[in-house]
Amino acid sequence: MRRTWSLLFSLLLLTGCALEAPLLRLSLGQEEVRAREGETAILPARVEARGLRARLFVEGLPPGMTPPPLEVEGKRELSLAIPAREAGTWEARVVAEGGGMRREASFRLVVEGASSLDLYLEGTVYVGGEGVAPQTQAATDRMAYCPQGCPGRPLGGGWYRVEGLGGQALGGLSLPDRPVRAQGGEAEPLFPEEWNLPLARFPEAWAEATGEGVVVAVADTGVLPGHPDLEGVLLPGLDLVDGDTDPTEPSTGSPLQTFHGSHVSGILAAAWNGVGMAGASQAQILPIRLLTPEGTGRESDLILALRWAAGIPVPGLPPNPHPAQVVNLSLSGEGPCSPALQEALDDVRARGVLVVAAAGNYGRDYRDYFPGNCRGVLTVGAVGSDGRLASYSNRSAPLLAPGGDGASGVLGPTLGGHRLLKGTSQAAPHVSAALALLRSRGAASPEALEGALLAGSRSTPEGRLLDAFAALKALEGGGVAFRVEGRLALKPGEEGSLPVEVLSPYPVPVRVAAEGGLAAYLAPNPAQGTAHLRVRAPTGTAPGAYRVRLEGGGAEATAEVQVKALPARVVLSACSEGGACRSLVLPPEGGPFRLEGLSPGTYRLLAFLDRDGDGALDPEEPRGEAEARPPATGVRLLVR
């Protein structure tokens, strides 16, 4: 009898060892969260409920400020939204309960009263006029809005192409008309293997997302609606070349015609219908024709296309019933980003639309070409099948993707079949497709999507290579990435500001470390979206190149600061009615600014292009003025 009980006890022990014990873990991403009265505080939390279902809730906050409880299973990363309805400071805790277990994690909530907030002015300085490089080709006509009709060739909807006049007009504003050109390559023999998709790890990503339901605008030469690979893919579009709503690219009969827009659209979203090639996503294409079959176009049409694609009403153009979430621009033009183009991109970004642009095929620095050098654009360089930077690709782009090189081109649709092309034009739609995959996973901010894309990319000696599968995983893990816009030039004793994009689904505490005795800090911090890196070069700082390092959330970035006499920079001053003034230095191309700690009342703002670096406004230096009362956002100054 004793032997029987002993055997049974041993079996029970062995059986118990095979069972996995329930587990409940809880941690918070930060110990203190801040918000202004009337806003929402975001608290990152990580919960692991293994073998049980846990209930997650918050204790210690006033009524009306407690987020609703959540049911959690498995391993989750959450962002708890806390309504900051009342000013004050509270010691609270997040609680996870389940399976007879209870876990707590404490945090502090600080809500600043509206009456105690610092007054600030926030906006953007655009540098135009003499600050813009001369056009490389004179425009021969312009667009005018004439609802009652006017001389010239009618484009439809009240728009007319008027011969013999330069520029374009939109709502009384003159638009630039520099040439833009498609960034595709030369034809290659048909090769049916899409080496580009495995290189960017799209097949692995398709098991997680396909991009279905996402609208991507392709502003290009138009499309071939009858091509089998584009069947069921195309939405009703727009033609800014002929002035109608048919974006079909006409055939010229030339053997050099590549049908660039169809090639780009097929790479991005060729239908998985058992015919032809596989697109990198299953997004829907919103085609916009703004380039001729030869691949040439004008900046003014690009500006109109961006606004229309995002669903922004454009006088004289029909409404867009299918606003895009992503815009693909496989084109570029030489010169800096113009104020009109930057303003359009800012407006598009404000609607949550992501813009992807080709870096250019000139083997130079991408920052010499628009729209890739504009703020808020994700610019893409090209690699060959070996993952190395293509010989033609412009350098230093923040992201690389397959574009072809040497004997390897990228497969895409053309008239009557397919062909291989090379170029940063072919690289850009890979990134647009990856963004479509990310967007189809659910609502996420542009910052979170770009952050996941950059955080998931693979580091190579020549840049960061797109990895669609890793980007999806980074989005799940709350991928974080930093993007520093431009470089800062200071003289000893000066303070300057650089915009920094903190690409993250939640505010990230950022550590700032500066070289050579420079003083630097990020405002705000923790940060999400646009923040401002403030740098001061103390008196006596030796001339030279310095770096400011940013770290947080597993991401890092470096800002470059040059201390020397400046050939040019933008100086911004804001003077109150009482005569007190605040000054800020911006890069020569201008950019976002934020002035804090101001007094109530009206401020007069003056921005000028300080060409000789003496800090004084000279008669021949371009300038712009405005008035604003803090707190205010969206303040705009045009320096010309």
Side-chain angles (χ1 to χ4, degrees):
M1 186 66 173
R2 179 177 300 171
R3 178 178 301 174
T4 301
W5 280 107
S6 176
L7 178 61
L8 180 59
F9 182 67
S10 299
L11 289 173
L12 290 173
L13 281 177
L14 291 171
T15 303
C17 291
L19 295 176
E20 185 177 5
L23 175 67
L24 182 59
R25 293 176 177 169
L26 171 65
S27 63
L28 301 181
Q30 54 199 78
E31 297 179 354
E32 180 178 289
V33 289
R34 291 178 172 268
R36 297 174 180 176
E37 189 175 3
E39 296 182 345
T40 300
I42 303 299
L43 177 62
R46 298 177 179 85
V47 184
E48 185 175 1
R50 188 187 305 166
L52 54 88
R53 174 176 293 182
R55 182 171 178 267
L56 190 72
F57 55 95
V58 176
E59 294 181 342
L61 295 179
M65 293 177 58
T66 302
L70 300 173
E71 297 291 330
V72 181
E73 285 184 300
K75 192 174 183 179
R76 296 281 303 279
E77 297 203 13
L78 307 168
S79 295
L80 302 178
I82 303 173
R85 297 180 178 175
E86 180 181 341
T89 301
W90 291 272
E91 301 292 337
R93 56 192 170 275
V94 178
V95 180
E97 288 185 347
M101 293 180 281
R102 177 184 173 97
R103 301 289 184 265
E104 297 182 359
S106 299
F107 69 96
R108 178 183 295 108
L109 173 65
V110 179
V111 180
E112 298 174 334
S115 60
S116 66
L117 295 178
D118 287 340
L119 298 177
Y120 64 91
L121 293 174
E122 186 173 82
T124 306
V125 176
Y126 298 97
V127 178
E130 296 180 356
V132 177
Q135 297 181 10
T136 57
Q137 176 179 316
T140 58
D141 53 36
R142 78 181 190 96
M143 289 182 74
Y145 181 48
C146 302
Q148 304 303 320
C150 63
R153 180 161 57 91
L155 296 182
W159 282 94
Y160 285 76
R161 185 78 70 189
V162 184
E163 304 299 330
L165 300 177
Q168 287 194 11
L170 174 63
L173 298 176
S174 177
L175 301 184
D177 242 345
R178 293 177 291 177
V180 293
R181 179 171 293 276
Q183 294 302 293
E186 298 179 355
E188 295 286 343
L190 182 62
F191 185 66
E193 294 185 10
E194 295 177 83
W195 57 268
N196 45 308
L197 298 179
L199 180 62
R201 294 231 289 171
F202 277 100
E204 294 92 334
W206 292 336
E208 306 284 340
T210 64
E212 187 173 354
V214 177
V215 177
V216 180
V218 175
D220 215 290
T221 63
V223 288
L224 294 167
H227 197 287
D229 277 326
L230 301 180
E231 183 178 350
V233 174
L234 304 176
L235 294 168
L238 185 70
D239 186 341
L240 290 170
V241 178
D242 291 338
D244 54 38
T245 56
D246 181 8
T248 301
E249 178 177 349
S251 175
T252 65
S254 169
L256 300 179
Q257 186 176 5
T258 63
F259 293 91
H260 189 271
S262 297
H263 198 273
V264 168
S265 298
I267 294 170
L268 202 161
W272 300 347
N273 54 10
V275 178
M277 60 178 289
S281 77
Q282 290 298 275
Q284 290 185 290
I285 299 296
L286 178 69
I288 303 174
R289 183 172 178 243
L290 58 79
L291 300 176
T292 67
E294 293 75 28
T296 61
R298 306 185 309 177
E299 183 179 5
S300 50
D301 285 336
L302 172 59
I303 291 171
L304 298 178
L306 283 166
R307 294 186 181 279
W308 188 83
I312 300 172
V314 179
L317 296 183
N320 175 11
H322 305 286
Q325 289 88 47
V326 180
V327 178
N328 186 91
L329 302 177
S330 289
L331 48 82
S332 75
E334 188 170 5
C337 186
S338 69
L341 178 57
Q342 185 62 70
E343 184 173 4
L345 288 164
D346 288 346
D347 292 342
V348 166
R349 178 73 176 217
R351 291 204 167 206
V353 180
L354 290 154
V355 178
V356 178
N361 297 345
Y362 308 104
R364 295 170 55 185
D365 193 305
Y366 85 96
R367 285 164 288 206
D368 293 333
Y369 297 87
F370 72 93
N373 57 9
C374 295
R375 186 174 58 253
V377 173
L378 189 55
T379 310
V380 188
V383 300
S385 58
D386 58 358
R388 300 293 304 274
L389 187 70
S391 56
Y392 57 81
S393 177
N394 279 354
R395 272 53 177 167
S396 304
L399 199 59
L400 303 174
D405 198 14
S408 297
V410 180
L411 190 68
T414 190
L415 185 65
H418 304 82
R419 74 188 309 172
L420 297 168
L421 295 177
K422 295 178 292 184
T424 54
S425 276
Q426 282 60 49
H430 289 86
V431 174
S432 296
L435 286 172
L437 300 188
L438 295 172
R439 178 76 78 174
S440 67
R441 293 297 299 269
S445 68
E447 292 76 22
L449 296 174
E450 284 190 354
L453 202 65
L454 294 171
S457 60
R458 303 196 297 273
S459 179
T460 74
E462 296 157 315
R464 303 201 64 85
L465 180 61
L466 173 67
D467 187 323
F469 179 68
L472 286 168
K473 296 303 180 185
L475 184 64
E476 293 175 359
V480 177
F482 300 141
R483 187 166 65 188
V484 180
E485 300 280 0
R487 303 171 183 174
L488 190 60
L490 300 173
K491 290 195 300 186
E494 285 187 335
E495 178 182 341
S497 175
L498 276 177
V500 176
E501 285 290 323
V502 181
L503 306 169
S504 168
Y506 54 83
V508 177
V510 182
R511 297 180 297 278
V512 181
E515 294 179 343
L518 298 182
Y521 67 97
L522 192 69
N525 192 0
Q528 179 186 24
T530 300
H532 297 267
L533 178 63
R534 307 293 177 78
V535 183
R536 180 172 180 80
T539 302
T541 303
Y546 298 86
R547 293 182 300 176
V548 179
R549 188 176 182 85
L550 307 173
E551 296 180 343
E556 59 183 43
T558 300
E560 298 179 8
V561 180
Q562 188 74 30
V563 179
K564 65 176 184 178
L566 301 179
R569 74 266 181 80
V570 168
V571 176
L572 171 67
S573 65
C575 297
S576 67
E577 296 168 313
C581 296
R582 292 278 303 279
S583 296
L584 193 63
V585 176
L586 300 174
E589 66 272 16
F593 68 87
R594 182 181 174 94
L595 295 168
E596 300 173 324
L598 303 178
S599 302
T602 300
Y603 276 76
R604 185 177 182 85
L605 289 89
L606 169 67
F608 66 93
L609 183 61
D610 186 16
R611 288 199 175 110
D612 55 11
D614 63 357
L617 175 60
D618 300 322
E620 71 280 1
E621 291 178 338
R623 71 205 68 187
E625 297 181 70
E627 285 190 355
R629 294 178 62 88
T633 59
V635 181
R636 298 187 179 189
L637 293 94
L638 176 59
V639 176
R640 58 183 177 184

